[in-house]
Tab-separated table of all heavy atoms in Angstrom:
chain	number	residue	atom	x	y	z
A	667	GLU	N	64.927	121.619	136.123
A	667	GLU	CA	64.651	123.049	136.127
A	667	GLU	C	65.933	123.838	135.908
A	667	GLU	O	67.020	123.396	136.287
A	667	GLU	CB	64.021	123.486	137.458
A	667	GLU	CG	62.782	122.711	137.868
A	667	GLU	CD	63.089	121.570	138.813
A	667	GLU	OE1	64.233	121.065	138.799
A	667	GLU	OE2	62.185	121.184	139.581
A	668	SER	N	65.774	125.005	135.336
A	668	SER	CA	66.891	125.915	135.167
A	668	SER	C	66.359	127.338	135.119
A	668	SER	O	65.161	127.553	134.960
A	668	SER	CB	67.691	125.601	133.897
A	668	SER	OG	66.888	125.745	132.737
A	669	GLY	N	67.249	128.291	135.258
A	669	GLY	CA	66.882	129.690	135.139
A	669	GLY	C	66.795	130.450	136.443
A	669	GLY	O	66.566	131.667	136.431
A	670	GLY	N	66.972	129.772	137.565
A	670	GLY	CA	66.933	130.458	138.840
A	670	GLY	C	68.150	131.328	139.048
A	670	GLY	O	69.126	131.266	138.307
A	671	GLY	N	68.073	132.154	140.074
A	671	GLY	CA	69.176	133.045	140.384
A	671	GLY	C	68.755	134.115	141.353
A	671	GLY	O	67.681	134.046	141.953
A	672	SER	N	69.604	135.098	141.507
A	672	SER	CA	69.340	136.226	142.394
A	672	SER	C	69.001	137.458	141.577
A	672	SER	O	69.655	137.753	140.569
A	672	SER	CB	70.552	136.506	143.283
A	672	SER	OG	70.851	135.402	144.121
A	673	VAL	N	67.977	138.166	142.014
A	673	VAL	CA	67.519	139.342	141.295
A	673	VAL	C	66.954	140.340	142.295
A	673	VAL	O	66.475	139.961	143.367
A	673	VAL	CB	66.454	138.956	140.244
A	673	VAL	CG1	65.215	138.392	140.922
A	673	VAL	CG2	66.101	140.127	139.357
A	674	GLN	N	67.021	141.601	141.951
A	674	GLN	CA	66.440	142.629	142.802
A	674	GLN	C	64.937	142.726	142.586
A	674	GLN	O	64.416	142.331	141.546
A	674	GLN	CB	67.088	143.988	142.527
A	674	GLN	CG	68.526	144.098	142.997
A	674	GLN	CD	69.077	145.495	142.836
A	674	GLN	OE1	68.934	146.114	141.782
A	674	GLN	NE2	69.699	145.999	143.883
A	675	ALA	N	64.254	143.227	143.590
A	675	ALA	CA	62.814	143.409	143.490
A	675	ALA	C	62.459	144.210	142.247
A	675	ALA	O	63.108	145.206	141.928
A	675	ALA	CB	62.283	144.100	144.742
A	676	GLY	N	61.418	143.749	141.557
A	676	GLY	CA	61.006	144.380	140.320
A	676	GLY	C	61.603	143.752	139.086
A	676	GLY	O	61.153	144.042	137.969
A	677	GLY	N	62.585	142.895	139.262
A	677	GLY	CA	63.230	142.241	138.145
A	677	GLY	C	62.453	141.044	137.647
A	677	GLY	O	61.372	140.726	138.133
A	678	SER	N	63.036	140.364	136.660
A	678	SER	CA	62.383	139.233	136.019
A	678	SER	C	63.326	138.048	135.900
A	678	SER	O	64.539	138.214	135.807
A	678	SER	CB	61.889	139.612	134.621
A	678	SER	OG	60.936	140.657	134.663
A	679	LEU	N	62.735	136.871	135.892
A	679	LEU	CA	63.444	135.637	135.630
A	679	LEU	C	62.528	134.722	134.830
A	679	LEU	O	61.310	134.800	134.966
A	679	LEU	CB	63.863	134.930	136.913
A	679	LEU	CG	65.006	135.519	137.734
A	679	LEU	CD1	65.117	134.780	139.062
A	679	LEU	CD2	66.314	135.431	136.972
A	680	ARG	N	63.118	133.867	134.030
A	680	ARG	CA	62.357	132.846	133.330
A	680	ARG	C	62.900	131.476	133.700
A	680	ARG	O	64.057	131.158	133.420
A	680	ARG	CB	62.405	133.025	131.808
A	680	ARG	CG	61.440	132.083	131.080
A	680	ARG	CD	61.499	132.213	129.581
A	680	ARG	NE	62.704	131.610	129.023
A	680	ARG	CZ	62.898	131.409	127.728
A	680	ARG	NH1	61.966	131.768	126.852
A	680	ARG	NH2	64.033	130.870	127.302
A	681	LEU	N	62.059	130.687	134.315
A	681	LEU	CA	62.415	129.334	134.673
A	681	LEU	C	62.007	128.383	133.555
A	681	LEU	O	60.978	128.574	132.909
A	681	LEU	CB	61.740	128.909	135.972
A	681	LEU	CG	61.937	129.819	137.184
A	681	LEU	CD1	61.277	129.204	138.410
A	681	LEU	CD2	63.413	130.086	137.432
A	682	SER	N	62.823	127.365	133.347
A	682	SER	CA	62.547	126.368	132.325
A	682	SER	C	62.437	124.995	132.956
A	682	SER	O	63.112	124.697	133.938
A	682	SER	CB	63.659	126.350	131.271
A	682	SER	OG	63.783	127.606	130.634
A	683	CYS	N	61.584	124.176	132.381
A	683	CYS	CA	61.423	122.798	132.809
A	683	CYS	C	61.542	121.901	131.596
A	683	CYS	O	60.724	121.986	130.680
A	683	CYS	CB	60.075	122.586	133.501
A	683	CYS	SG	59.789	120.882	134.027
A	684	ALA	N	62.550	121.065	131.605
A	684	ALA	CA	62.759	120.091	130.547
A	684	ALA	C	62.622	118.698	131.135
A	684	ALA	O	63.154	118.421	132.210
A	684	ALA	CB	64.127	120.262	129.909
A	685	ALA	N	61.925	117.835	130.437
A	685	ALA	CA	61.718	116.466	130.899
A	685	ALA	C	62.297	115.498	129.892
A	685	ALA	O	61.776	115.364	128.781
A	685	ALA	CB	60.236	116.189	131.123
A	686	SER	N	63.353	114.836	130.276
A	686	SER	CA	63.971	113.864	129.392
A	686	SER	C	63.096	112.621	129.279
A	686	SER	O	62.503	112.170	130.263
A	686	SER	CB	65.360	113.481	129.906
A	686	SER	OG	65.272	112.889	131.193
A	687	GLY	N	63.016	112.086	128.069
A	687	GLY	CA	62.261	110.871	127.850
A	687	GLY	C	60.766	111.018	128.027
A	687	GLY	O	60.081	110.033	128.317
A	688	TYR	N	60.252	112.212	127.835
A	688	TYR	CA	58.834	112.472	128.059
A	688	TYR	C	58.361	113.597	127.167
A	688	TYR	O	59.107	114.534	126.892
A	688	TYR	CB	58.595	112.831	129.527
A	688	TYR	CG	57.146	112.871	129.944
A	688	TYR	CD1	56.462	111.699	130.232
A	688	TYR	CD2	56.479	114.077	130.053
A	688	TYR	CE1	55.140	111.723	130.620
A	688	TYR	CE2	55.151	114.117	130.441
A	688	TYR	CZ	54.487	112.945	130.723
A	688	TYR	OH	53.170	112.980	131.115
A	689	SER	N	57.127	113.479	126.741
A	689	SER	CA	56.484	114.527	125.962
A	689	SER	C	55.249	115.009	126.700
A	689	SER	O	54.527	114.218	127.297
A	689	SER	CB	56.090	114.025	124.570
A	689	SER	OG	57.228	113.671	123.812
A	690	TYR	N	55.026	116.309	126.659
A	690	TYR	CA	53.870	116.887	127.329
A	690	TYR	C	52.636	116.708	126.454
A	690	TYR	O	52.373	117.516	125.555
A	690	TYR	CB	54.110	118.360	127.617
A	690	TYR	CG	55.335	118.630	128.454
A	690	TYR	CD1	56.382	119.391	127.954
A	690	TYR	CD2	55.428	118.132	129.748
A	690	TYR	CE1	57.496	119.651	128.721
A	690	TYR	CE2	56.541	118.386	130.520
A	690	TYR	CZ	57.573	119.148	130.008
A	690	TYR	OH	58.683	119.407	130.779
A	691	VAL	N	51.884	115.653	126.708
A	691	VAL	CA	50.691	115.339	125.935
A	691	VAL	C	49.546	115.026	126.885
A	691	VAL	O	49.579	114.016	127.604
A	691	VAL	CB	50.928	114.157	124.983
A	691	VAL	CG1	49.658	113.850	124.211
A	691	VAL	CG2	52.073	114.461	124.026
A	692	ARG	N	48.549	115.886	126.890
A	692	ARG	CA	47.344	115.688	127.696
A	692	ARG	C	47.679	115.338	129.139
A	692	ARG	O	47.183	114.361	129.708
A	692	ARG	CB	46.449	114.628	127.057
A	692	ARG	CG	45.974	114.988	125.657
A	692	ARG	CD	44.959	114.005	125.130
A	692	ARG	NE	43.714	114.050	125.884
A	692	ARG	CZ	42.662	113.282	125.638
A	692	ARG	NH1	42.713	112.406	124.643
A	692	ARG	NH2	41.579	113.397	126.376
A	693	ASN	N	48.523	116.139	129.707
A	693	ASN	CA	48.840	116.009	131.113
A	693	ASN	C	49.008	117.399	131.701
A	693	ASN	O	48.751	118.401	131.043
A	693	ASN	CB	50.091	115.151	131.319
A	693	ASN	CG	51.331	115.755	130.691
A	693	ASN	OD1	51.276	116.760	129.975
A	693	ASN	ND2	52.481	115.133	130.966
A	694	CYS	N	49.441	117.449	132.947
A	694	CYS	CA	49.592	118.725	133.620
A	694	CYS	C	51.036	118.938	134.036
A	694	CYS	O	51.684	118.015	134.538
A	694	CYS	CB	48.685	118.797	134.850
A	694	CYS	SG	48.712	120.409	135.680
A	695	VAL	N	51.503	120.139	133.843
A	695	VAL	CA	52.805	120.554	134.329
A	695	VAL	C	52.586	121.651	135.356
A	695	VAL	O	51.895	122.634	135.074
A	695	VAL	CB	53.706	121.062	133.197
A	695	VAL	CG1	55.069	121.463	133.750
A	695	VAL	CG2	53.856	119.993	132.124
């Protein structure tokens, strides 16, 4: 995971999830 941090109320963040050695195919994240 990446993208976390500190933000004030009302702000935005985008978290990312990367999986090494894996492809998202017919599964759940």
